[in-house]
Amino acid sequence: MCLAIPAIVVKKTHNDMGIVCLGGVEKEISLMFTPEVRIGDWVMLHTDFAIQIITEEDARETLAIFQEIPPADQREEKI
Amino acid sequence: MSHGSGAALTRQLIKEVFAGEFRISTLDDAVCIDGSLTVTTDAYVVNPIFFPGGDIGKLSITGTVNDLCMNGSRPAYILASFILEEGFAIDQLHSIVSSMQSTAEEAGVQIIAGDTKVVEKGRCDGLYITTAGIGFLPGGIHLDAGKIRSGDKIIVNGTLGDHAIAIINARQQLGLTPAPESDCAPLHEVIRILLQNTNLKFARDATRGGVATILNEICDDTGLGIIIDESSLPVKYSTRVLCDMLGLDPLYLANEGKLIAFIGEANDDLLSLLKTYKYSYEAAVIGQCTNEVKGVFLRTILGRLRPLLMLASDPLPRIC
Amino acid sequence: MNWNRFRQPDLILKLIGDLTEYKKQVKFMEVCGSHTMAIGHWGLRKLLPENIILISGPGCPVCVTPATIIDSLIKLKSVTITTFGDLMRVPGSHQNLEQARAQGCDIRIVFSPMDALKISQDRETIFIGLGFETTIPGIAFSIVNAAKNNNQNFSVLSLGKLIPPALDALLDDKDLKVDGLILPGHVSTIIGMMPYEFIPYKFGIGGVITGFEPLDIVLGVKTLIENLDHPRIMNEYSRVVRPEGNQIALDLISEVFEITHAQWRGIGEIPDSGLKIKSKYADFDAFRKYDIKTSDLEENPLCLCGNVLKGKILPPECPLFAKTCTPDYPIGPCMVSSEGSCAAYYKYER
C-alpha cells in the first residue's frame, strides 16, 4: 500500500530538509522524521519524506542468511 | 471521450470513428502511395512545450521522421503548421523553430512549407504543431508485420521510458537534478543500419503506451505470440529507480527515440554495429516471436512467464 | 549497498526450493496492496509450492475509500484539488477526477503533501489526505506547516486509515481462516511491532513484517512456516523497521489527528480505524471547511469485493472479474486501484 525506495543522503540543508540521490539523480526531501541521519546514510523514502534510516548491517545480515555466510559480527567473533 | 486516456482507447476511437467513415481498414501513422512515395501527418500538443532533451519543435521533426522511416523510407520533406495562442512569447517561438531546423538538418530533411494561425488566449495551450512528411521508399523494401515468423528476434535500439520520465518530472515539478532527459531522436539511421545488416521484417516506433502496448497491437493484428525477456530489457539505472519510486513500469512508458524491430537472420556483428551509432548504442535483443504462446508474455527474472497486458490508460505516478 | 541483491534470482529460487520440504497446506494473507503487486510482478504466487497459498488483504487505501468522496470533490468548482495519482481514475457516481479535470476542474496530481503546500501559496487548495500509517505523518506535517504559517488557503480531506484495527475486525470474522499474516513493511516502519502484538494472543496466529523485494517476501513466508507452532510477531525487515517504529512520526500523527471510526468501502464501518483532524487544526480540515459529506455508494450487488478485501475469496472467484469488471471499466473497489487485489490479479495472475 505504500511505495518506498532506498535513497542515499548527500546533503542536509535547513529546516529538516535534505538532498538524496536516487540512481544518480538528486531530489530535495524532508528529513524531519530522521533527524539523526548522517550524510552517506541510506533512508527509506515515501512521498518525499525519509521515514526511516536503513541499517546496512541488518541488510547484509538478511542477505547473509541466504548465502549461508555468517553475518559480519559472527565472523569477527570466530576470528 | 476521455482526454488523457491512453494509446489503446485512442486506437479504439480511430477504429470506430475515423477508419469507418474514411473507408480505410486502419489509420496508420504513414502510408506508401504508388509504391514509392510515403506520406505521413502528425499533431504535436506536448505539455510542457520545453522539456529536458527537447522541445515541441524537435519532437515534431523527430516524430515525423520516425513515422516516415518505419516502413524503410528515406525521409525527405516536412510541412509544418502552427497554431499559436495569442501572447505566446516570440523568443520561445524562435527557439522552437530553430530546434526544428537543426533537427531537420540532422535528419537530412527539408522543411518546405507551412501555415500559421494565431487563436485567442485560452483557445489553445501555448502552441500546437501539425506536420506532414514526405519520404521515398527505395525499391525492393517491403516491411510488413505479416512477414514476422516464429523465431524472429525483437530488438530495441536503447533504454526504455526516458521520454516519459522526463515529461513526468517536468510536468509534476518533481525537482530532480539533473533533470532526466527525453530520448527524442530521429531513427532513420537506425533503420538504415537494420536494413543493411538484417532481414528486417517490420519496425515500429515505441511511443505512447510504450513497448508493451505496441507489442500487443502487433500481436492483435497478426495473431503472433511474443515472449520478452525481463533480464534483457535496457533501462537506465535512474529510470528504473524513479519508476520504483513513482510506481511505473518502463515497459508501458512512452519513448520518442526508440523503435522495436522484428528481424529474421542478421549479420553476426549487428549488435556491435548498432552500438557504434549514437542513437542505438544501448541496443538489445529483448525477446522473440513464438508459436508457443498467444499474445505478449514477459519471462521474469525468476523464469516465470506472465502476461504483458495492453493497458488502456496512460500510467500515472502513484504512491501505493 | 546494492539493493538489487534482494532481487537475485538464484537466491530466491533456492529459498523457494527449500520451502518444498514443507508439505502441509497453509494459507497466509498479505495485508498490503504493495505486497500483492510485488508478488504478482515477480510471479511468486505460482512459484511457491502449491500447498502454500497467499491471499490478499485490505491494504489498499484507494480501494477502501468510499466512492462518494469523488462526487463531493467534483462539486467544489472554485477550489484546486490536489491528490496522489492513485485516486485519479477511481469512478465516482458519474465521473472520475481525471474526467472532471478534462472538463475544466482544477485537479492536480501531486507526489507529496509538500507539493500541495506549494500549490496553496497562491490559490485555495484541498489536499486529499489518503493513506495508511506510512503516508499519514507527511500529511500531518503539511497541516502543522500550514498552521504555523497561517496558510488559510490549505486544507486536508483526512481519509487516513489505520491497519491494526482493520486486522482485528477481519480476523474476528470466523469465516476467514488464515494461518499467518505477512505484515506491511512500510506501515510497520512508522508503527513498529507493538500494535500487532494482540494478534497472536487474540487469534493464535503469527505475523511477519517483511519488505517488498522478492527475497524479503519469500523469507517472510519461510519465517511464518517455521514458526507456525509458536505464533508471534516477527520482523524480517529489520534493516528498515525498528521494534518501536518511528516515534517522531507517531508523535506528529497524534499532534494533528484523533482516532475515529471509519467507513471501509467493501467492508463497512470499523471502530477506531480512521483519523480525523483535531479541533485545534479545524481551520485546515476540508470536511469542516467545505461541509463535505460521505455516504455509502450503492455497490453492484454482484460485486464480491467485500469478500476479496476480507480474504474470503480470490478475485477470479467473483462472477464479474475480468468479464464486466476490468481495470478500464472497474465496477468494484479492488479493481479501481492498480494495487487493488483484483487489478493485480487481472494484470499478473491470469
Side-chain angles (χ1 to χ4, degrees):
Chain A
M1 64 195 93
C2 313
L3 293 174
I5 59 162
I8 194 162
V9 176
V10 295
K11 198 172 171 188
K12 290 180 84 168
T13 53
H14 55 93
N15 292 340
D16 298 327
M17 298 297 282
I19 308 282
V20 290
C21 182
L22 300 159
V25 179
E26 293 186 355
K27 188 174 197 331
E28 187 179 36
I29 64 144
S30 168
L31 296 170
M32 72 169 303
F33 302 126
T34 56
E36 71 280 29
V37 75
R38 288 168 309 182
I39 290 172
D41 282 348
W42 286 88
V43 292
M44 215 59 192
L45 185 63
H46 174 73
T47 66
D48 288 354
F49 289 88
I51 56 170
Q52 193 52 277
I53 300 168
I54 306 177
T55 47
E56 285 190 69
E57 193 49 41
D58 282 292
R60 273 190 280 272
E61 271 178 39
T62 304
L63 286 168
I65 300 173
F66 303 102
Q67 279 150 344
E68 292 164 339
I69 305 165
D73 53 338
Q74 289 173 30
R75 275 206 305 277
E76 280 157 18
E77 276 170 26
K78 279 176 198 162
I79 299 163
Chain B
M1 273 179 55
S2 154
H3 171 82
S5 57
L9 287 173
T10 309
R11 191 170 141 95
Q12 189 185 347
L13 186 76
I14 289 169
K15 270 190 177 161
E16 285 172 7
V17 181
F18 298 108
E21 197 68 38
F22 297 156
R23 299 195 181 85
I24 47 179
S25 61
T26 167
L27 213 55
D28 277 332
D29 288 341
V31 65
C32 184
I33 45 183
D34 296 341
S36 65
L37 185 69
T38 300
V39 292
T40 184
T41 178
D42 211 341
Y44 298 86
V45 297
V46 64
N47 166 28
I49 287 173
F50 294 91
F51 49 85
D55 57 46
I56 193 171
K58 179 178 180 187
L59 195 64
S60 72
I61 303 301
T62 59
T64 309
V65 164
N66 294 347
D67 280 352
L68 286 172
C69 68
M70 285 305 133
N71 74 349
S73 295
R74 184 180 60 78
Y77 301 107
I78 285 180
L79 298 78
S81 293
F82 301 84
I83 297 174
L84 285 152
E85 186 181 20
E86 199 165 289
F88 191 79
I90 202 78
D91 56 330
Q92 293 197 354
L93 188 60
H94 270 301
S95 151
I96 288 163
V97 171
S98 126
S99 84
M100 286 177 81
Q101 180 57 27
S102 59
T103 312
E105 282 167 19
E106 184 190 354
V109 295
Q110 270 181 280
I111 301 169
I112 52 167
D115 183 36
T116 304
K117 297 278 188 294
V118 180
V119 298
E120 294 152 47
K121 217 170 173 47
R123 285 188 62 204
C124 123
D125 186 9
L127 166 69
Y128 301 149
I129 300 178
T130 302
T131 62
I134 296 168
F136 299 105
L137 183 64
I141 295 177
H142 181 64
L143 303 184
D144 180 359
K147 288 184 172 175
I148 306 171
R149 295 286 173 268
S150 179
D152 286 353
K153 298 239 174 350
I154 301 165
I155 287 183
V156 295
N157 61 311
T159 53
L160 305 180
D162 301 331
H163 176 72
I165 291 289
I167 294 293
I168 288 171
N169 176 51
R171 207 180 278 171
Q172 293 298 129
Q173 296 172 4
L174 292 180
L176 303 172
T177 28
E181 291 200 357
S182 165
D183 62 345
C184 150
L187 296 173
H188 59 292
E189 269 299 302
V190 180
I191 289 283
R192 193 189 58 77
I193 298 172
L194 287 166
L195 280 169
Q196 284 180 357
N197 296 282
T198 65
N199 174 11
L200 179 64
K201 309 272 187 84
F202 184 68
R204 272 284 301 277
D205 46 346
T207 52
R208 198 172 183 189
V211 165
T213 304
I214 306 291
L215 290 177
N216 268 288
E217 286 179 13
I218 293 169
C219 279
D220 269 7
D221 292 344
T222 61
L224 282 169
I226 289 174
I227 295 178
I228 297 298
D229 194 358
E230 185 174 28
S231 59
S232 69
L233 292 172
V235 181
K236 267 188 200 155
Y237 183 53
S238 57
T239 301
R240 199 177 285 284
V241 170
L242 294 169
C243 279
D244 279 350
M245 179 175 91
L246 300 166
L248 300 170
D249 183 343
L251 276 170
Y252 290 93
L253 296 183
N255 310 282
E256 286 295 346
K258 297 293 147 38
L259 60 77
I260 311 170
F262 292 78
I263 61 168
E265 325 71 75
N267 294 344
D268 290 343
D269 57 352
L270 172 67
L271 275 182
S272 39
L273 259 175
L274 284 169
K275 283 173 194 289
T276 60
Y277 177 57
K278 62 178 170 178
Y279 295 138
S280 55
Y281 71 98
E282 288 175 288
V285 175
I286 61 164
Q288 63 177 352
C289 301
T290 171
N291 291 329
E292 290 164 36
V293 295
K294 273 235 165 301
V296 187
F297 285 78
L298 181 77
R299 191 181 302 285
T300 71
I301 59 163
L302 299 180
R304 252 196 65 79
L305 283 189
R306 70 165 163 83
L308 210 51
L309 298 181
M310 173 102 101
L311 294 188
S313 306
D314 287 342
L316 294 175
R318 58 192 175 89
I319 63 133
C320 289
Chain C
M1 186 77 208
N2 178 6
W3 303 107
N4 272 339
R5 292 168 67 190
F6 288 87
R7 299 181 179 180
Q8 226 162 284
D10 51 337
L11 293 188
I12 298 161
L13 294 173
K14 179 181 176 298
L15 195 61
I16 290 174
D18 292 349
L19 289 175
T20 53
E21 284 167 27
Y22 186 79
K23 300 292 180 205
K24 278 191 235 158
Q25 174 155 323
V26 280
K27 200 197 250 180
F28 300 134
M29 175 187 271
E30 85 268 0
V31 173
C32 173
S34 296
H35 272 141
T36 304
M37 283 292 278
I39 288 165
H41 180 91
W42 302 104
L44 294 178
R45 225 177 288 277
K46 286 174 185 149
L47 278 169
L48 287 171
E50 274 180 17
N51 56 318
I52 300 172
I53 300 164
L54 300 183
I55 59 168
S56 308
C60 162
V62 171
C63 303
V64 297
T65 295
T68 47
I69 281 285
I70 308 291
D71 301 347
S72 318
L73 286 166
I74 291 172
K75 283 187 205 136
L76 298 171
K77 300 270 184 213
S78 60
V79 189
T80 297
I81 292 168
T82 54
T83 175
F84 295 130
D86 310 55
L87 199 63
M88 281 303 274
R89 296 195 177 121
V90 175
S93 312
H94 306 291
Q95 270 185 329
N96 64 27
L97 293 175
E98 189 173 53
Q99 289 158 337
R101 180 175 68 180
Q103 292 185 3
C105 291
D106 188 3
I107 298 170
R108 306 182 189 190
I109 295 176
V110 292
F111 186 67
S112 162
M114 290 188 284
D115 299 341
L117 272 179
K118 273 183 213 136
I119 292 171
S120 75
Q121 279 166 11
D122 59 5
R123 64 192 68 229
E124 203 175 333
T125 304
I126 296 180
F127 175 68
I128 306 180
L130 186 109
F132 293 126
E133 289 91 332
T134 321
T135 316
I136 293 165
I139 300 172
F141 164 79
S142 70
I143 294 171
V144 170
N145 182 286
K148 200 171 82 188
N149 297 316
N150 195 24
N151 177 354
Q152 294 294 329
N153 274 344
F154 184 76
S155 64
V156 169
L157 194 72
S158 171
L159 299 169
K161 290 193 166 54
L162 304 174
I163 285 294
L167 292 179
D168 196 359
L170 281 183
L171 293 170
D172 224 13
D173 186 335
K174 295 285 169 280
D175 293 345
L176 174 69
K177 299 239 182 305
V178 291
D179 303 299
L181 300 175
I182 296 172
L183 295 167
H186 296 144
V187 162
S188 308
T189 305
I190 303 298
I191 68 174
M193 298 172 71
M194 196 60 143
Y196 305 115
E197 293 295 350
F198 71 94
I199 295 170
Y201 293 104
K202 194 168 169 188
F203 301 106
I205 60 167
V208 62
I209 297 167
T210 71
F212 296 83
E213 298 298 340
L215 206 57
D216 290 319
I217 296 169
V218 180
L219 176 61
V221 170
K222 180 170 181 268
T223 304
L224 280 176
I225 287 179
E226 285 172 352
N227 291 281
L228 279 171
D229 297 333
H230 309 284
R232 59 206 163 88
I233 301 302
M234 295 159 284
N235 182 7
E236 291 292 6
Y237 200 27
S238 58
R239 66 182 187 272
V240 178
V241 175
R242 314 282 175 267
E244 68 282 9
N246 185 323
Q247 197 56 48
I248 300 172
L250 290 170
D251 289 346
L252 195 63
I253 295 177
S254 23
E255 162 67 21
V256 174
F257 294 103
E258 62 193 357
I259 290 174
T260 179
H261 60 84
Q263 206 59 39
W264 292 56
R265 187 179 175 190
I267 297 178
E269 188 173 292
I270 300 180
D272 301 334
S273 68
L275 292 173
K276 75 173 183 204
I277 297 174
K278 284 183 176 170
S279 47
K280 183 178 168 188
Y281 292 101
D283 289 354
F284 306 97
D285 182 347
F287 275 113
R288 290 179 227 196
K289 193 168 173 181
Y290 302 99
D291 195 26
I292 294 170
K293 300 266 188 296
T294 57
S295 52
D296 248 358
L297 185 73
E298 202 151 312
E299 304 282 357
N300 184 317
L302 291 175
C303 167
L304 298 182
C305 274
N307 286 340
V308 172
L309 286 167
K310 292 175 197 158
K312 289 184 183 174
I313 64 163
L314 296 176
E317 294 171 55
C318 172
L320 305 180
F321 178 79
K323 296 186 182 80
T324 46
C325 184
T326 64
D328 298 329
Y329 301 99
I331 290 173
C334 305
M335 193 63 95
V336 299
S337 159
S338 61
E339 62 144 15
S341 306
C342 293
Y345 267 77
Y346 186 93
K347 187 165 177 207
Y348 294 127
E349 313 273 359
R350 287 189 301 150

